[in-house]
Amino acid sequence: MQIPYNEEPRPDTGLYNAKLGIWLFLASEVMLFGALFSSYILLRTGNPDWHQEELDVVLATINTLFLITSSVTVVFAWMALRLNDFAKFKLYLWLTMALAGAFLVVKYFEYSAEFEHHLYPSSNNFMATYFTMTGLHGIHILGGMVVFGYLLGPGAKMWKSEPERFTNRIEVAGLYWHFVDLVWIFLFPSLYLL
Amino acid sequence: MAGHSPEEISAERRVYVTVFASLGVLTLVTVAVASLDLSTGAAIFVALAIASVKGSLVACYFMHLIGERKLIYAVLALTFFFFLVLIFLPLAAQADRMGG
Amino acid sequence: MQSFLARWMPIDASSHGAPLDRMNAMVHWLMLVLFVGWGLYFLYVLYRFRASANPKASHEGAKSHFSSYIEAGVAIVEVILLVGFAIPAWASWVSPETSDPEPFVVRVVAQQFQWNVHYPGPDGVFGPTDVSLLSNTNFVGLDRADPAAADDVVMINQMPLPVDRDITVMLSSKDVIHGFFLPQMRVKQDAVPGLAIPVRFRAVTATPADGLFPGCFQTKTCWEIACAQLCGLTHYRMQGYYTIQSQDSFDAWMDEQQALLQPAQPAQPAQATDEAQADSSAAAAGGTEADEHADASQ
Amino acid sequence: MSDDPVDKSGAGHSHGHDHDHAGGHHEESWIRKYVFSTDHKMIGLQYGITALCFLLFGFCLMLLMRWQLAYPGSVVPLIGGWLGEANAPGGIILPAFYNQLGAMHGTIMVFLAIVPLAVGAFGNYVLPLQIGAPDMAFPKLNMMSYWVYFVGGIVMLVSFFLPGGAANSGWTSYAPLSVIATTGQTAWLFGMVFLITSSLLGSMNMIVTIIQLRAPGMTFMRLPFFVWSQFVTSFLLLLAFPPLEAASVMQLMDRLAGSSFFMPSGLFVSGQALEYAGGGSPLLWQHLFWFLAHPEVYVLILPAMGIVAEIIANNTRKPLWGYKPMVYSTIFLGFMSFIVWAHHMFMTGMGTVISAFFQTTTMIISIPSVVILTALLISLWGGSIRFNTPMLFSLAFLPMFGIGGLTGLPLGLAPADIHLHDTYYVIGHFHYVVAPGTIFAIFAGIYYWFPKFTGRKMSEGLGKLHFWLSFIFINGVFAPMFIQGLAGVSRRLYDGGLSYSHAQPVLHWNVFMSMAAFGLFLAQLPFVFNFFWSMKKGEKVGSNPWGATTIDWACTTSPPLGHGNFEHIPTVYRGPYEYSPPGADDDFLPQHVPGS
Ligand code: HEA
Ligand code: HEA
Ligand code: CUA
Ligand SMILES: [Cu+2]
């Protein structure tokens, strides 16, 4: 049995299955992070004693650059596949992994520094929001790394058997990755700069 | 879907590189603006405006939303509407309460 | 028309209750008409179009458009109820027109599992309260050292109120969300910790003599403050008592309280008087036992 | 009638590549076939069986509660000794245990029983067949949704054995009560994260399947109404559930990491000031919860309406009247359900403008329900009505949903809600929609599609017995709730109102309702017996025993039904309900049969 439209787009919708699937998934992610942003705004505007901590803007800026770069490498990986250049693809996806890893390492140092200054989720609701949002975002980064790891490892076999479908998978994984980047683009000013 | 011919792809690459550069610049701009000591309202506005521009760049070019299918637009429009509801209705409810 | 639901509802002794009940009855009439109308149609159709009587179904089915008229009718009635009754009624619930220049204000502070009622006393000014003063004897955290607090009266689970006065209950909670429910006043309001919500109403009938405590717990004729919102273990018995009295008897009661306060001791005697004033069983249902349970609730 | 699907093999599909799809055509191992199956039909059955067990379990929790409500503080008969000393010493239910039962009854019924049945089971099994798809779009994801759901269910069950027992702050888990509650609440939150994740994966899969895998000729306006109902439901699941996931994470943070998202400053609990930062908002939790939970109630009802519509069309032998208005109403209903949620929060101190907004949206949302119900009622006109068991349950659905829906109107008008909020009136309202509403529709669906699941029919005699007993008893349980609610009896009372004087005149109903609930339990015995007996001994039937037009009946019937469903994907030529077409001999013209 074969599920139709795994590779080629369905003529009337112009989409292959996973492409529609990932966008639906991202729609739900919008609502997930939307709820957190909503809570953040509501708590902050509703509380006259709101206390905004100074966070490490330098580290966060570096992290922003890491994520933006990783977004580029992941599209490059996809382009390499479309040019049939599997070696380049691997290179770019490894680069993406490395940047994601670097992001998490920086995050680790940020968290440790905050703990050292006795800033915990229990300190105040700003810190609680900060840890919850960046934590959830971090889990998404980790999830992305797992997916990339799979696509570089056991999942890469598919390149031999179904190259179209594999290319689609990379595109879809990339869409997810850009979304994670996009969330960060909003997290960064809301938590670090405002 | 985007084409497969090498020419098209290298054109695409140029787009990506340009977008990447703009994102980098905009990131630095946000940080710079944040150190300017604007009033809270202005600071929030500027920061979110820049973030929105950056977000749109990522969505439009990296996620190739520009030139995506109608169906995807429909899904995202619906989601965006509910997103606004989720952000603003609770705020409105918090603002309009018994006893002010 | 009102008698239709009144058979089951508690009596209404408030000024804003009548329009609410009337509206409630009107909605129920709409519901009844729809249900009975469609119900009769339904039974008729089931009978008439049973397979044995009508072996060949009609492809088109019903041709008339009367259903659109019914749907439109429902919509119109709903609009009338909404715009003509519900929205104005809610507006006047949120900020009723007052005839009293100075409404009678009382604070109610809910806690697991009792209602603390704080009267400003004859001076009409609430003494200051503070979280740091809260204790198992000072349930509202009243600062007795302050002169404004000297005549303040704090009751547990007892809430006498004057009749024919605009009353404002400033409602809050110390711990979790409770539901402040006065069935005969058609009053219900969540007590949300962190918020002070004004609840405004006016009683037009005094509590009947057999509804006055003491002793109402056994005779089941008293008027109660019920807790409507799940608030923990003893939610089911988070019961208070309120009475609506003439201004005279209310004043007399307030004087009694002032006399009891005279030794000018902070907090302690006021509580003691509450216990003394409440009949044994009523008190048992309120304060004392609740404390036992409160520990278990964590 | 024709069992042969139209021979138009794989029209519009291309299957270019060979691939090493594990076990594709070979004998599948037992584990792959029955446990980690990727076949939507097996997954549907797994969902169905698991959820039926949870339905029974949720009902049993309720029976314990109903015993306590009828005879407060007396020993639970028969099983009182097994409830555990911590919960029911000497067989007498403690308040703490009652609260756990209530919270878990609500949670289990909603998230572990009805949604998995209506969406997981029926959606999974029937929907791909009805649109002519070989499977769901993402079979592995489908399997994952089931197992994530399963884990969520186990977490919920295990929570009964934690110190302090299961969650006890109501299915609504209002903060701060839930934040300071016993460990069971933590388990509840983790369980919810699993259940929500499962729903998300499932709904995404469902939407893609409907959009991408429709057979050739199956245009949107030829979709059976059931498919439409699942389509809208899936969007509700997809977009309304994530906020509760976020809220659950935040409540977990409050409980485990000491944050104060939902904790306002200055709380003083059990004679002690709590140590925490404060500044949170208890109402924020309510907003996030109801943002999910109102769409959720339409998740409970829409698939039920879909099932009922299929069965009514089939058993009146005529097309649905007003198919298009029904479809548009469903879409509109789904859309509106995102902006009515705060009608559950009128009593939290809402101002005039916001309450006017939510009252208006609530009244607006009642109109599409009226349209759908009206269309179904008018569909009966001119029919040739067969009163078989599925039809009886479907017919009963109409007035029962009518009662439930109509009693929603006074609740939606805030001033009337002042007296009714948090009383048994609300309990009556929503049980009429979910119990004799959705549960009846689910029963109808089980009787109707049983031949597709097993190749056999369930016994009609036992089915009718099941129907009439259930119908009588279920009304006995829920109708008196309106009377109690009008009298002002609060919900979630351990003693059912015993200590309140205003409850005294209506207290005698408690015994009546509980007796009816026990009767309702007994009334399920014929069903359970029928269910298992018919699997082995039921009357054997062909592929299309009801003479139905939709293409789920075009594929050969299970068990031979293999992974892939159709020998050849059928082509669809017409709308879903061409019953009794004028001038034809047969009284039905299936969607996949060519010709006029
Ligand atoms: C499947 C579930 C379901 C459905 C469909 C509905 C449908 C509706 N609900 Fe309900 N509701 C719940 C489940 C549901 N609800 C639950 C679970 C709660 C409580 C949660 C809790 O607090 O624990 C609740 C609570 C609830 C409240 C909050 C009450 C309170 O706490 O104070 C309100 C208030 O507006 C409300 C309103 C409505 C309205 C206006 C509809 C409308 O959509 C109804 C529209 C339908 C009609 C108007 C019927 C049309 C009928 C006919 C045309 C006649 C037919 C007659 C014959 C066939 C004879 N509901
Ligand atoms: C979908 C949701 C749903 C369903 C179906 C039900 C079904 C029932 N509910 Fe439930 N109920 C809730 C959701 C639901 N409930 C919620 C959300 C609450 C609020 C909780 C809270 O306060 O937080 C509540 C609260 C609630 C209360 C109020 C408790 C209180 O406030 O203290 C009561 C009281 O009688 C009650 C009774 C019942 C009864 C008698 C049924 C009966 O209709 C049950 C009938 C069940 C069956 C008929 C099932 C039969 C099953 C089988 C036959 C299985 C067969 C198995 C196999 C073949 C394997 N419920
Ligand atoms: Cu207080 Cu319930
Ligand atoms: Cu609702």
Side-chain angles (χ1 to χ4, degrees):
Chain A
M1 182 214 43
Q2 169 91 24
I3 308 287
Y5 310 123
N6 267 340
E7 298 167 6
E8 76 294 352
R10 181 179 165 114
D12 56 352
T13 58
L15 297 167
Y16 59 88
N17 297 342
K19 177 97 158 251
L20 180 56
I22 194 70
W23 275 109
L24 290 167
F25 178 72
L26 294 184
S28 86
E29 294 277 273
V30 169
M31 298 306 280
L32 179 75
F33 284 101
L36 291 172
F37 275 105
S38 173
S39 308
Y40 177 33
I41 301 173
L42 190 117
L43 289 173
R44 188 166 166 180
T45 56
N47 183 356
D49 308 325
W50 183 264
H51 180 70
Q52 196 86 357
E53 302 285 347
E54 293 278 330
L55 302 169
D56 194 330
V57 177
V58 175
L59 286 186
T61 311
I62 294 174
N63 254 350
T64 310
L65 296 175
F66 280 163
L67 276 195
I68 293 174
T69 316
S70 75
S71 258
V72 180
T73 52
V74 88
V75 271
F76 280 5
W78 177 57
M79 281 198 307
L81 277 189
R82 281 157 60 213
L83 291 169
N84 259 322
D85 190 343
F86 193 67
K88 258 236 178 84
F89 153 76
K90 278 191 117 159
L91 173 70
Y92 279 124
L93 208 56
W94 275 116
L95 259 175
T96 313
M97 283 278 266
L99 287 162
F103 178 93
L104 287 182
V105 170
V106 170
K107 204 81 230 154
Y108 167 80
F109 283 116
E110 246 188 288
Y111 277 4
S112 332
E114 275 138 16
F115 293 150
E116 250 164 54
H117 288 88
H118 299 288
L119 290 174
Y120 302 104
S122 54
S123 305
N124 55 46
N125 264 349
F126 172 69
M127 289 317 289
T129 312
Y130 162 80
F131 279 112
T132 309
M133 290 181 109
T134 53
L136 211 61
H137 180 260
I139 291 177
H140 278 77
I141 300 264
L142 214 59
M145 290 176 73
V146 170
V147 171
F148 292 146
Y150 172 78
L151 291 172
L152 281 169
K157 279 197 305 240
M158 190 185 259
W159 174 247
K160 297 259 155 50
S161 55
E162 296 169 276
E164 279 284 301
R165 200 166 163 204
F166 186 70
T167 312
N168 287 346
R169 285 201 166 172
I170 298 300
E171 185 185 11
V172 162
L175 283 173
Y176 168 81
W177 192 250
H178 299 309
F179 178 79
V180 175
D181 181 11
L182 202 151
V183 170
W184 182 257
I185 286 178
F186 283 93
L187 281 180
F188 171 55
S190 351
L191 292 173
Y192 290 83
L193 302 179
L194 294 179
Chain B
M1 253 184 76
H4 276 231
S5 78
E7 299 79 54
E8 283 170 301
I9 291 182
S10 70
E12 248 181 273
R13 173 174 294 128
R14 272 195 300 279
V15 173
Y16 294 142
V17 173
T18 319
V19 170
F20 171 56
S22 339
L23 287 173
V25 171
L26 284 172
T27 304
L28 300 180
V29 171
T30 344
V31 178
V33 169
S35 57
L36 274 186
D37 246 4
L38 293 174
S39 73
T40 322
I44 291 181
F45 179 80
V46 172
L48 288 186
I50 297 179
S52 304
V53 173
K54 286 166 70 185
S56 318
L57 284 176
V58 171
C60 292
Y61 295 101
F62 286 164
M63 303 172 88
H64 16 266
L65 260 189
I66 275 197
E68 194 44 275
R69 301 287 159 174
K70 277 225 279 304
L71 187 61
I72 304 275
Y73 287 154
V75 168
L76 291 182
L78 192 73
T79 309
F80 188 64
F81 177 78
F82 291 144
F83 172 80
L84 293 181
V85 167
L86 180 60
I87 299 274
F88 289 108
L89 268 186
L91 276 178
Q94 176 162 288
D96 181 28
R97 298 191 43 80
M98 269 167 88
Chain C
M1 183 143 121
Q2 246 164 291
S3 59
F4 162 49
L5 295 180
R7 148 177 353 168
W8 295 300
M9 288 170 76
I11 63 157
D12 164 35
S14 70
S15 65
H16 72 283
L20 297 196
D21 287 2
R22 196 173 325 121
M23 191 184 97
N24 207 350
M26 277 188 300
V27 191
H28 278 81
W29 276 112
L30 168 70
M31 290 151 60
L32 203 66
V33 167
L34 276 175
F35 187 74
V36 172
W38 277 116
L40 291 176
Y41 160 88
F42 183 61
L43 293 176
Y44 171 72
V45 169
L46 292 189
Y47 177 73
R48 172 161 162 203
F49 294 106
R50 65 197 190 279
S52 56
N54 194 33
K56 181 93 179 94
S58 135
H59 187 71
E60 289 101 57
K63 282 191 269 307
S64 96
H65 284 279
F66 82 110
S67 66
S68 318
Y69 302 128
I70 299 180
E71 285 157 14
V74 174
I76 290 169
V77 177
E78 284 184 0
V79 169
I80 295 174
L81 283 168
L82 192 63
V83 179
F85 296 88
I87 293 176
W90 189 263
S92 73
W93 158 252
V94 172
S95 44
E97 285 179 18
T98 46
S99 44
D100 270 355
E102 277 181 28
F104 182 87
V105 185
V106 57
R107 289 178 66 224
V108 170
V109 183
Q111 76 176 67
Q112 286 173 329
F113 298 92
Q114 70 190 37
W115 302 99
N116 304 300
V117 186
H118 179 184
Y119 293 87
D123 67 353
V125 180
F126 287 105
T129 56
D130 194 273
V131 192
S132 61
L133 295 173
L134 287 173
S135 72
N136 274 343
T137 48
N138 188 354
F139 285 107
V140 298
L142 182 62
D143 180 8
R144 285 281 181 197
D146 193 281
D151 62 345
D152 285 20
V153 174
V154 178
M155 305 290 290
I156 300 171
N157 291 330
Q158 310 281 336
M159 187 173 72
L161 292 172
V163 73
D164 286 329
R165 290 279 309 270
D166 288 327
I167 293 166
T168 301
V169 171
M170 290 304 295
L171 186 63
S172 61
S173 166
K174 278 154 66 172
D175 38 41
V176 303
I177 303 179
H178 300 267
F180 180 70
F181 181 22
L182 308 177
Q184 297 79 1
M185 291 296 127
R186 301 296 186 267
V187 161
K188 189 176 285 151
Q189 176 61 54
D190 284 356
V192 185
L195 299 173
I197 301 173
V199 187
R200 304 196 179 90
F201 58 98
R202 185 186 179 96
V204 294
T205 323
T207 314
D210 62 356
L212 296 170
F213 37 78
C216 72
F217 182 69
Q218 283 100 355
T219 54
K220 296 290 180 196
T221 52
C222 51
W223 284 359
E224 289 144 339
I225 308 169
C227 184
Q229 185 64 263
L230 179 65
C231 54
L233 279 187
T234 322
H235 157 63
Y236 73 107
R237 279 205 323 204
M238 179 163 162
Q239 202 168 20
Y241 305 89
Y242 74 103
T243 56
I244 307 294
Q245 333 185 340
S246 69
Q247 187 72 47
D248 288 348
S249 71
F250 178 81
D251 291 342
W253 172 81
M254 187 50 92
D255 289 345
E256 258 171 52
Q257 296 301 312
Q258 294 302 317
L260 289 165
L261 275 176
Q262 271 323 306
Q265 304 269 339
Q268 200 65 26
Q271 306 304 336
T273 54
D274 301 335
E275 307 283 294
Q277 211 267 351
D279 187 75
S280 54
S281 54
T288 44
E289 274 205 34
D291 299 335
E292 277 165 46
H293 287 290
D295 297 328
S297 79
Q298 274 268 347
Chain D
M1 79 184 126
S2 140
D3 282 339
D4 285 328
V6 185
D7 192 343
K8 249 201 156 189
S9 61
H13 305 186
S14 70
H15 311 269
H17 306 270
D18 291 14
H19 64 111
D20 48 359
H21 183 274
H25 298 284
H26 322 288
E27 197 55 37
E28 289 175 324
S29 69
W30 188 86
I31 289 246
R32 295 283 279 146
K33 193 159 174 201
Y34 294 105
V35 185
F36 295 111
S37 171
T38 51
D39 182 349
H40 74 101
K41 296 183 295 300
M42 182 50 66
I43 297 173
L45 292 179
Q46 289 174 329
Y47 262 117
I49 300 291
T50 317
L52 277 173
C53 293
F54 276 117
L55 185 66
L56 191 60
F57 183 65
F59 191 18
C60 293
L61 297 185
M62 180 39 65
L63 291 177
L64 290 175
M65 294 171 75
R66 284 285 7 152
W67 174 265
Q68 161 66 24
L69 292 173
Y71 306 107
S74 60
V75 179
V76 178
L78 303 177
I79 57 164
W82 306 345
L83 300 174
E85 279 304 297
N87 299 325
I92 296 173
I93 293 175
L94 288 179
F97 188 46
Y98 182 87
N99 286 351
Q100 290 171 38
L101 290 173
M104 294 312 281
H105 162 76
T107 307
I108 287 176
M109 283 304 202
V110 172
F111 296 105
L112 288 165
I114 301 294
V115 175
L117 267 172
V119 180
F122 284 105
N124 240 315
Y125 197 107
V126 175
L127 186 137
L129 300 181
Q130 281 199 335
I131 62 172
D135 199 322
M136 296 285 267
F138 310 111
K140 290 207 183 98
L141 207 63
N142 202 14
M143 173 182 85
M144 234 166 81
S145 322
Y146 170 75
W147 285 105
V148 173
Y149 154 70
F150 190 82
V151 172
I154 296 297
V155 171
M156 292 285 185
L157 286 182
V158 166
S159 70
F160 276 100
F161 302 100
L162 293 174
N168 54 16
S169 310
W171 82 293
T172 49
S173 285
Y174 278 5
L177 181 63
S178 53
V179 176
I180 59 175
T182 47
T183 353
Q185 182 66 22
T186 305
W188 187 91
L189 291 165
F190 276 115
M192 287 309 293
V193 170
F194 278 105
L195 295 177
I196 294 171
T197 307
S198 156
S199 294
L200 287 179
L201 299 180
S203 56
M204 172 185 133
N205 209 341
M206 199 80 91
I207 297 173
V208 177
T209 307
I210 296 172
I211 294 182
Q212 294 285 91
L213 301 193
R214 280 166 294 124
M218 183 61 95
T219 58
F220 271 95
M221 279 302 152
R222 286 179 180 171
L223 289 177
F225 183 66
F226 176 78
V227 177
W228 269 109
S229 72
Q230 293 283 348
F231 188 53
V232 175
T233 301
S234 299
F235 271 101
L236 300 186
L237 291 171
L238 186 79
L239 299 178
F241 272 45
L244 186 64
E245 187 146 15
S248 298
V249 171
M250 287 158 73
Q251 203 182 89
L252 277 172
M253 291 291 285
D254 274 7
R255 289 179 56 87
L256 302 179
S259 61
S260 323
F261 288 118
F262 306 122
M263 303 283 277
S265 306
L267 292 191
F268 193 83
V269 179
S270 309
Q272 272 175 327
L274 292 187
E275 295 281 334
Y276 65 105
S281 161
L283 295 186
L284 172 60
W285 168 264
Q286 296 193 18
H287 281 298
L288 295 177
F289 180 84
W290 291 115
F291 188 92
L292 152 106
H294 186 86
E296 167 74 21
V297 309
Y298 291 97
V299 169
L300 297 173
I301 203 70
L302 286 177
M305 288 171 165
I307 293 173
V308 165
E310 294 303 303
I311 295 175
I312 284 187
N314 178 265
N315 286 303
T316 52
R317 315 305 297 161
K318 61 182 283 298
L320 281 183
W321 188 90
Y323 168 82
K324 274 194 183 157
M326 281 172 77
V327 168
Y328 298 142
S329 296
T330 309
I331 297 172
F332 184 60
L333 191 83
F335 181 79
M336 289 300 292
S337 72
F338 282 89
I339 49 175
V340 302
W341 79 82
H343 65 206
H344 297 271
M345 299 168 61
F346 286 140
M347 290 325 129
T348 55
M350 245 187 229
T352 310
V353 179
I354 276 293
S355 95
F357 175 82
F358 282 108
Q359 291 180 74
T360 308
T361 53
T362 303
M363 288 301 114
I364 293 175
I365 205 176
S366 69
I367 299 298
S369 305
V370 171
V371 172
I372 294 173
L373 214 66
T374 307
L376 288 173
L377 284 165
I378 298 201
S379 292
L380 299 172
W381 186 275
S384 172
I385 302 173
R386 308 189 298 208
F387 292 98
N388 45 35
T389 312
M391 185 61 166
L392 287 176
F393 276 107
S394 302
L395 287 174
F397 171 90
L398 302 175
M400 295 294 102
F401 173 75
I403 296 178
L406 290 172
T407 49
L409 299 180
L411 299 175
L413 296 169
D417 192 42
I418 293 175
H419 184 67
L420 299 174
H421 175 66
D422 269 339
T423 64
Y424 266 88
Y425 194 94
V426 177
I427 304 281
H429 153 64
F430 74 76
H431 279 90
Y432 261 100
V433 259
V434 295
T438 306
I439 292 190
F440 272 20
I442 283 169
F443 282 144
I446 292 177
Y447 284 102
Y448 184 67
W449 276 293
F450 196 81
K452 188 76 2 195
F453 307 151
T454 63
R456 294 167 190 271
K457 251 189 188 172
M458 287 175 79
S459 150
E460 275 290 306
L462 284 173
K464 287 187 171 143
L465 182 71
H466 175 216
F467 169 73
W468 284 109
L469 291 178
S470 298
F471 183 73
I472 293 167
F473 284 124
I474 212 161
N475 278 288
V477 184
F478 296 120
M481 289 187 178
F482 297 121
I483 295 177
Q484 287 201 332
L486 284 167
V489 181
S490 298
R491 56 193 285 200
R492 296 163 165 170
L493 295 177
Y494 163 69
D495 62 359
L498 188 65
S499 55
Y500 280 109
S501 70
H502 66 264
Q504 299 306 311
V506 293
L507 217 53
H508 60 276
W509 285 111
N510 274 341
V511 177
F512 180 90
M513 294 191 294
S514 296
M515 286 303 153
F518 301 136
L520 182 61
F521 181 77
L522 296 181
Q524 305 313 310
L525 298 182
F527 170 71
V528 176
F529 176 75
N530 197 351
F531 190 86
F532 291 107
W533 182 83
S534 301
M535 274 200 280
K536 289 265 169 294
K537 296 272 165 59
E539 178 197 343
K540 273 204 170 134
V541 290
S543 304
N544 190 359
W546 309 107
T549 48
T550 48
I551 57 177
D552 40 337
W553 304 99
C555 55
T556 49
T557 280
S558 182
L561 193 59
H563 201 164
N565 297 339
F566 300 89
E567 207 111 318
H568 308 289
I569 297 292
T571 299
V572 169
Y573 295 98
R574 62 184 63 76
Y577 305 115
E578 284 306 309
Y579 288 104
S580 306
D585 302 334
D586 269 340
D587 68 348
F588 68 105
L589 188 52
Q591 284 187 283
H592 63 284
V593 174
S596 66

